[in-house]
Amino acid sequence: MAVTVISLVVAFLYGGPQALFLCVILGILEVSLSFDNAVINATVLRRMSEFWQRIFLTVGILIAVFGMRLVFPLAIVWIASGLGPIAALDLALNPPPDGAAYFPNGDPSYETLITDAHPQIAAFGGMFLLMLFLHFILEDREIKWLEWLERPLAKAGKLEQLEVVVATALLLITATVIAPDDKVSTVMIAGALGMITYIAVNGLGEMFHVPEEGEEPEGGPSGLAKATGKAGFFLFLYLEVLDASFSFDGVIGAFAITSDPIIIALGLGFIGAMFVRSITIFLVRKGTLSDYVYLEHGAHWAIGALALILLYSIGTHVPEVITGLVGVALIGAALGSSIYRNRKIAAREGEDAVKTSIP
């Protein structure tokens, strides 16, 4: 809350009431789009030591704000336009006075360059998130939310590398059917890099796997030693890549509201990303995922929906409100199912207690 207040004050001093209003809108946009991100982050964060949790909330927020919400858009402009860092920042802070997409000399504006880079950004982020979703949903788990669907998917998941096969097929469909003709190769390369990044980062995390509660640690250092050493580092790295993938749609969507990088950094980063990380820490410390067991399932289904939306948006614009509502609806349904399950278990335990108390 303190960071939010400071950010809003800075926004007001920077651009007056209009900047303040835009900052609030961007903060709400980021939280609505990234609530599923908070749930997924919590499933990983609870395996990390308190030290690495603090690193995620401090160093991680700096990466999220300055890396993804400020440097990332500028880097796109550097690469796409050939401008230097200072010139790219000047282009961002000084858009065409009439709001045109191009300057009088024919050079594209900052916003135009970012928008033009959407296909490769969406392909990378969409494939990374799709691999995450498929890895979860194709694994046989003791607790299932949508049993009628998750059970057959878990059986199909026994086929080795099925997630890679499905993801590759969807990437081919996206590149050949959805993507514009001049972006086919770009989408294929970006999508392949998204898959490679997931496989590499997830593989490193599995290599230094930290046993969860109820699991017996295998040979080698203790779970605590791994959590605070290499495992903590690679889980932190995994979370940052995951956060970046979730951030792509928010960063691109922000340019439909404003192209000012300072306002985007304040709204999406300092307000939105800080709220998402605070929600993540809250879920971990309150044991919410253990109490509401279907939340993790709902978040992964929301990730699958977001991945498909990102891939579809390569050819057709999808309003950000749809992306946000889909995620909120799936997580809300999972929360409702968890509450219903807890009540059934409590009622059953109450009946058993009554039966045992009767002589």
Side-chain angles (χ1 to χ4, degrees):
M1 294 302 298
V3 171
T4 299
V5 171
I6 294 172
S7 299
L8 292 176
V9 170
V10 172
F12 181 79
L13 295 175
Y14 173 74
Q18 182 180 3
L20 175 64
F21 175 74
L22 292 174
C23 196
V24 171
I25 295 298
L26 289 174
I28 295 173
L29 172 69
E30 177 70 6
V31 174
S32 64
L33 289 176
S34 301
F35 189 79
D36 48 355
N37 187 11
V39 178
I40 296 300
N41 285 349
T43 66
V44 179
L45 201 66
R46 62 182 176 177
R47 296 166 53 191
M48 299 166 67
S49 67
E50 186 175 349
F51 169 79
W52 282 105
Q53 290 181 12
R54 289 177 178 173
I55 292 294
F56 174 71
L57 194 59
T58 53
V59 177
I61 194 67
L62 294 177
I63 296 174
V65 174
F66 295 103
M68 283 307 302
R69 277 75 177 183
L70 186 60
V71 176
F72 173 68
L74 289 173
I76 292 175
V77 175
W78 301 342
I79 296 171
S81 65
L83 297 173
I86 303 301
L89 182 60
D90 180 67
L91 178 62
L93 296 175
N94 299 285
D98 58 353
Y102 288 81
F103 286 104
N105 61 3
D107 294 333
S109 69
Y110 182 81
E111 182 179 355
T112 302
L113 289 169
I114 296 293
T115 304
D116 289 345
H118 175 70
Q120 50 264 48
I121 295 172
F124 180 93
M127 293 310 299
F128 184 92
L129 294 178
L130 181 64
M131 288 291 293
L132 174 62
F133 166 71
L134 291 173
H135 180 79
F136 177 87
I137 210 64
L138 294 176
E139 184 176 336
D140 191 12
R141 300 176 182 277
E142 181 180 352
I143 297 177
K144 295 178 176 62
W145 178 35
L146 306 175
E147 285 206 28
W148 58 275
L149 184 56
E150 293 181 5
R151 191 174 296 280
L153 287 173
K155 290 182 179 179
K158 293 179 180 179
L159 179 63
E160 191 173 355
Q161 299 301 323
L162 179 61
E163 64 265 30
V164 177
V165 174
V166 173
T168 304
L170 286 175
L171 177 58
L172 287 171
I173 293 173
T174 301
T176 56
V177 178
I178 298 177
D181 293 339
D182 61 337
K183 294 290 185 179
V184 173
S185 60
T186 300
V187 168
M188 284 295 299
I189 294 172
L193 288 175
M195 293 175 61
I196 292 170
T197 301
Y198 174 81
I199 293 171
V201 176
N202 184 63
L204 289 171
E206 292 293 335
M207 184 185 301
F208 299 98
H209 173 68
V210 181
E212 299 201 39
E213 293 183 15
E215 290 184 31
E216 291 295 330
E218 299 178 0
S222 67
L224 179 60
K226 291 192 292 183
T228 56
K230 293 180 180 179
F233 171 75
F234 284 118
L235 287 176
F236 171 74
L237 177 64
Y238 177 80
L239 282 176
E240 290 307 311
V241 177
L242 184 62
D243 178 73
S245 299
F246 273 101
S247 302
F248 290 148
D249 60 330
V251 172
I252 297 298
F255 283 90
I257 299 173
T258 179
S259 59
D260 191 313
I262 304 301
I263 297 178
I264 290 176
L266 289 171
L268 291 186
F270 283 106
I271 297 178
M274 191 61 160
F275 259 104
V276 171
R277 274 165 168 69
S278 298
I279 293 171
T280 299
I281 295 293
F282 176 84
L283 293 175
V284 171
R285 293 181 177 172
K286 296 295 182 180
T288 306
L289 296 181
S290 299
D291 295 335
Y292 303 97
V293 295
Y294 296 140
L295 270 181
E296 185 177 1
H297 295 258
H300 277 91
W301 279 105
I303 286 174
L306 175 58
L308 294 178
I309 289 172
L310 278 172
L311 295 177
Y312 180 75
S313 70
I314 292 174
T316 305
H317 173 69
V318 179
E320 286 70 31
V321 65
I322 294 179
T323 306
L325 287 177
V326 169
V328 170
L330 287 169
I331 293 177
L335 176 62
S337 298
S338 300
I339 294 173
Y340 178 71
R341 174 183 182 272
N342 292 344
R343 288 178 178 175
K344 284 182 61 177
I345 293 176
R348 191 181 305 121
E349 291 176 348
E351 292 176 359
D352 293 341
V354 171
K355 290 179 180 178
T356 55
S357 64
I358 298 177

